[in-house]
Amino acid sequence: MDDFALPEVLSRPLEDVVLAMKAMNISDVAEFPFPTPPHQGQIDGAVKLLANIGCVDLSSLEESGGDGNITRLGTAISKLPLGVRYGKMLLIAAQAGILDYGILMVAVLSESSPFQQGPQEESKLQSNDDESLDEIDKNAAEQLEKEKKKSRKKKWMHKGGDVLAGMLASGAYTYAGKGAGGVSEKLACREFCEENGLNCVVMERIQKMRIHLAKLAKTRLGNADGIAAKTGGIINTMPPPNRFQEKLLMQAIASGLLDNVALLAPPGSITGDHPYSLRSAYLNSSTLVSEPLFMDKGSAVYSRDSRRMPEWICYDAIVRKTAKDGSSITTLKNITPIEPAWLGPLAQGSRLLSVGGPRASPLPSYDPSNDAIMCSALTKFGAQGWEIPPVQVEMYEALQSTEAKNNSQFMIDDSFRWFARFLLEGKVLKELKDLPSMLNDEPAIITRKAPVSKVAILVSALSKAGVDSARALRKHWSENDSKFLFKLLKSWTKSEHASEVKKLWMETVKKNIKQYNMANQ
């Protein structure tokens, strides 16, 4: 080992080191006795990044101190020998059933752009014996070369962004070689790069990384779907992803870049003098980056017409450049367009997501998979507090918020009110699906908040018992009162169906008590 080599804690991305330490149950990284300790600000930045993408939970800092606890997601990522961002992207892709494409996605992200030609390729384009050409021929040659570059760039344009464009090129590169091996494969791949304006060195590195990740997938993600997980190899003839798979890939990319989200700046939102047109400028979701951001002109989604540029994007890195006139411009690398509706589900568990009180529209619903009354809640994203499409949350929790308590549209017992409605509609317990036809009123009157006596009594009973889920109802029947709600049902039943309702209810209670007891043996 080099006597003067930097220690790993200073050479490896610090967020990777911190996550590995969290996986070893080190509660306070800052207090760890490093031989060469990183700066406190660097540790704070690493912890913040991990919290932003959902790998570390900071909610218990006031109680337990330290710098956060590792989450289930963080634990899973820590088992992969990858950077935390790429590890999360790969896991999300595997979970979505597109691991083979996810491997190629991460391989493309791990290298520089394959569309930027190296000095060797550039010199070849200019080696046409310039001295033998007069000025007119030189101009014509330059114009021809510009047209070729424009044509090549157009060939790899992709509405899904720079990463998907790189995947398209890399897939075609692999197909050109077809796994022949040896000199013939190298020649075929090199010719392909020269014909299509791709950087051959970068493409080779992407291919090597793809093969490496496929082997990794077999050992670490063997239960996932795909060729790589089963064989440790890649598909030389893998077709491009379809539209649905492209959307899943874009969501996987966004999941690892949640703290690198930008919004096309609304007119007038950026003040001050700037040397560039602000119509195509973006705002960063973080308050740490205040200057306007611009797409690199080489991006697959760049357009001179700002109206054709995506409103929401995520990016891999910020690059500050100096123009010929000396002015500076902040550009974005590896841009992927995103939909704001993705951010809520993708940022669950991240400190970037802020969920407020319930919203009146759309109406609440019963979610059988979560066994809970769910409602839409006011949702904001990032340090800028951008409002995004509302996420679904448990209504009981949403009603505890300050916004809900100060909003006359909602009552503190609304989760029990909606549970009562869905119970009588047969949406909570499948055994009661025929109950609505035997009732003398529609269960919908329960949520209309009109002063109806039988509604108030039913909602009050559920609220006092704390029952707003099927599991809570089964538990109350089993452990407290098997006749719970039975007497109240009489005022809701048509007289001619009284015996049928009694039989249906008793059988339902009996069956659900048995189900609860079996689950808790």
Side-chain angles (χ1 to χ4, degrees):
M1 181 178 176
D2 185 352
D3 291 339
F4 299 99
L6 285 171
E8 184 179 18
V9 72
L10 296 181
S11 59
R12 185 180 173 191
L14 192 56
E15 60 269 19
D16 298 350
V17 177
V18 171
L19 185 63
M21 295 175 71
K22 288 296 178 185
M24 294 186 286
N25 296 317
I26 296 174
S27 61
D28 196 339
V29 174
E31 294 298 320
F32 186 81
F34 293 102
T36 308
H39 191 273
Q40 180 62 49
Q42 293 175 309
I43 294 176
D44 292 344
V47 170
K48 183 178 179 181
L49 188 156
L50 292 171
N52 284 342
I53 63 174
C55 294
V56 168
D57 180 13
L58 302 180
S59 61
S60 60
L61 287 185
E62 292 184 4
E63 298 176 8
S64 57
D67 41 30
N69 300 312
I70 193 168
T71 62
R72 288 180 60 190
L73 172 64
T75 301
I77 294 174
S78 70
K79 296 176 181 178
L80 297 175
L82 293 171
V84 293
R85 295 187 189 276
Y86 298 161
K88 182 178 181 182
M89 293 178 195
L90 199 62
L91 284 178
I92 296 295
Q95 189 178 39
I98 52 169
L99 178 58
D100 289 322
Y101 288 113
I103 285 170
L104 180 54
M105 169 190 72
V106 172
V108 169
L109 274 165
S110 67
E111 292 294 341
S112 55
S113 173
F115 307 115
Q116 295 175 349
Q117 292 185 327
Q120 290 183 347
E121 285 83 353
E122 291 288 353
S123 63
K124 285 181 181 179
L125 296 173
Q126 296 172 3
S127 63
N128 293 325
D129 194 5
D130 288 350
E131 293 181 1
S132 64
L133 298 176
D134 58 24
E135 197 64 33
I136 296 176
D137 290 336
K138 284 182 182 179
N139 291 338
E142 288 176 1
Q143 186 61 35
L144 180 62
E145 190 55 44
K146 285 181 181 179
E147 292 298 325
K148 284 183 179 180
K149 284 185 178 181
K150 189 175 180 180
S151 177
R152 289 167 184 158
K153 180 181 176 181
K154 190 174 181 180
K155 183 175 184 177
W156 303 117
M157 294 291 280
H158 199 295
K159 291 182 179 179
D162 299 324
V163 182
L164 265 63
M167 289 178 63
L168 186 65
S170 185
Y173 172 89
T174 304
Y175 182 80
K178 295 179 184 175
V183 177
S184 58
E185 181 176 350
K186 286 185 177 181
L187 285 173
C189 290
R190 186 169 293 278
E191 287 177 7
F192 175 81
C193 290
E194 291 175 356
E195 291 172 2
N196 292 277
L198 299 173
N199 188 312
C200 193
V201 175
V202 172
M203 295 302 292
E204 285 178 7
R205 291 204 299 256
I206 290 174
Q207 186 74 344
K208 287 179 181 178
M209 177 58 74
R210 184 182 177 189
I211 293 170
H212 170 72
L213 291 174
K215 293 176 181 177
L216 174 68
K218 184 181 179 182
T219 58
R220 304 295 176 93
L221 300 169
N223 293 327
D225 294 332
I227 298 297
K230 300 297 183 292
T231 69
I234 65 172
I235 311 170
N236 294 312
T237 57
M238 186 171 74
N242 58 39
R243 288 189 178 182
F244 178 68
Q245 291 167 333
E246 286 179 355
K247 185 164 287 190
L248 292 176
L249 286 165
M250 293 163 72
Q251 291 175 358
I253 294 167
S255 74
L257 300 173
L258 288 171
D259 52 343
N260 287 352
V261 169
L263 172 68
L264 193 62
S269 59
I270 301 176
T271 58
D273 296 328
H274 297 276
Y276 302 97
S277 171
L278 296 177
R279 286 181 295 180
S280 58
Y282 283 83
L283 297 173
N284 197 294
S285 60
S286 170
T287 53
L288 297 177
V289 181
S290 57
E291 70 261 42
L293 308 174
F294 295 88
M295 277 192 188
D296 190 288
K297 290 184 178 180
S299 172
V301 288
Y302 172 78
S303 173
R304 291 187 177 184
D305 185 354
S306 60
R307 294 171 298 181
R308 299 178 62 183
M309 295 172 69
E311 183 180 13
W312 291 79
I313 60 172
C314 64
Y315 59 90
D316 187 35
I318 288 176
V319 179
R320 290 178 172 86
K321 296 181 177 181
T322 302
K324 293 180 180 179
D325 61 0
S327 60
S328 62
I329 182 171
T330 306
T331 61
L332 304 174
K333 177 186 174 185
N334 281 337
I335 295 167
T336 298
I338 60 175
E339 296 177 17
W342 298 349
L343 293 173
L346 289 176
Q348 289 288 346
S350 166
R351 63 196 294 273
L352 294 171
L353 197 66
S354 173
V355 180
R359 299 186 66 166
S361 178
L363 294 176
S365 62
Y366 174 71
D367 181 2
S369 61
N370 289 317
D371 185 23
I373 305 300
M374 307 295 287
C375 69
S376 295
L378 179 67
T379 309
K380 295 183 178 181
F381 180 82
Q384 305 277 15
W386 293 333
E387 189 169 341
I388 60 174
V391 297
Q392 290 284 304
V393 297
E394 291 191 20
M395 191 171 196
Y396 180 84
E397 296 297 330
L399 289 169
Q400 310 309 310
S401 67
T402 304
E403 297 97 319
K405 292 175 180 178
N406 295 332
N407 191 332
S408 60
Q409 286 184 296
F410 300 100
M411 300 173 67
I412 196 66
D413 63 0
D414 272 354
S415 63
F416 303 100
R417 189 176 298 275
W418 281 95
F419 178 78
R421 171 178 171 173
F422 294 135
L423 179 66
L424 296 189
E425 287 179 343
K427 294 177 180 178
V428 176
L429 303 177
K430 60 183 179 180
E431 296 87 356
L432 298 178
K433 60 180 173 43
D434 296 327
L435 181 63
S437 62
M438 295 182 273
L439 301 179
N440 53 28
D441 273 309
E442 292 183 357
I445 68 169
I446 299 173
T447 55
R448 289 174 188 161
K449 301 179 182 177
V452 180
S453 177
K454 65 180 181 180
V455 169
I457 294 171
L458 176 59
V459 174
S460 177
L462 289 168
S463 179
K464 286 179 180 178
V467 173
D468 63 353
S469 69
R471 188 183 185 285
L473 181 58
R474 294 187 186 106
K475 182 179 181 180
H476 197 82
W477 278 336
S478 302
E479 299 180 0
N480 300 99
D481 182 7
S482 62
K483 295 182 179 180
F484 179 60
L485 302 183
F486 178 69
K487 291 182 180 180
L488 303 184
L489 200 61
K490 183 177 180 181
S491 61
W492 287 88
T493 306
K494 293 177 182 177
S495 57
E496 63 269 27
H497 292 296
S499 59
E500 294 175 70
V501 170
K502 180 179 179 181
K503 181 181 178 182
L504 176 65
W505 190 263
M506 292 178 68
E507 289 177 351
T508 298
V509 172
K510 185 179 179 179
K511 185 175 180 179
N512 279 270
I513 288 176
K514 183 179 178 181
Q515 182 180 339
Y516 177 82
N517 291 334
M518 288 180 65
N520 290 276
Q521 283 180 347

